Amino acid sequence: MTVTAPPLTSSATCLVVALPGGLRSPAAARRIAAGWLEAAECTRTADAVLIVSELVTNAVRHTRGPCLLTLAERNGSLDIAVSDHSEDLPDVHRPADGDQRGGFGLEIMRHLGDSLRVVPRIGGKTIHVALRVRAPAPDGRRPP
């Protein structure tokens, strides 16, 4: 099975992709995100793709069903978000230790990103990681 996951929405400042729940979704998400970020001339493509990979991997590993990847750039910050259909919230304040299996993805995202937040909703949640990708223009518009 090949995961192609065409974007639901794509523009110069926003990408939204529905991904099936499956082991191939993280690789598809990395490929789609890298292409969009490179086209947008993102200065931190590698960091953003790693965060995308961790978020989608967590959604596949800890939930059932599809997830939604959203990348949105505004005022020099990239919001990387993954929505899933599980109401179980991750413990984002517990640091990973070497004696457990997993948990290191959150540490990676906390280290690379400027902020990490979980937004619960009925029937699921969205996890956002903000990543500074360029200095904002003084007037708030996207720099050239």
Side-chain angles (χ1 to χ4, degrees):
M1 175 178 116
T2 302
V3 177
T4 54
L8 297 175
T9 303
S10 183
S11 70
T13 58
C14 184
L15 172 74
V16 180
V17 181
L19 297 162
L23 298 178
R24 296 181 185 189
S25 288
R30 285 190 299 270
R31 187 174 55 254
I32 292 165
W36 184 82
L37 291 162
E38 287 169 5
E41 298 178 354
C42 176
T43 58
R44 296 183 64 191
T45 296
D47 291 342
V49 169
L50 180 54
I51 292 168
V52 164
S53 183
E54 292 296 333
L55 285 171
V56 174
T57 298
N58 285 349
V60 168
R61 184 174 178 196
H62 299 291
T63 71
R64 300 256 188 261
C67 63
L68 187 69
L69 168 66
T70 304
L71 303 177
E73 192 268 331
R74 184 170 183 213
N75 294 332
S77 184
L78 180 66
D79 178 47
I80 305 167
V82 171
S83 301
D84 63 46
H85 297 286
S86 170
E87 293 182 356
D88 294 336
L89 303 179
D91 184 356
V92 297
H93 301 293
R94 178 183 51 91
D97 59 33
D99 295 336
Q100 64 188 19
R101 183 176 172 198
F104 296 102
L106 288 172
E107 287 291 319
I108 290 168
M109 290 184 279
R110 269 196 294 271
H111 178 72
L112 291 176
D114 298 309
S115 68
L116 185 146
R117 65 187 168 98
V118 179
V119 180
R121 60 180 168 74
I122 295 173
K125 67 183 166 301
T126 302
I127 301 178
H128 295 264
V129 177
L131 182 67
R132 174 72 47 203
V133 291
R134 59 176 58 100
D139 61 3
R141 294 186 320 173
R142 186 177 177 176

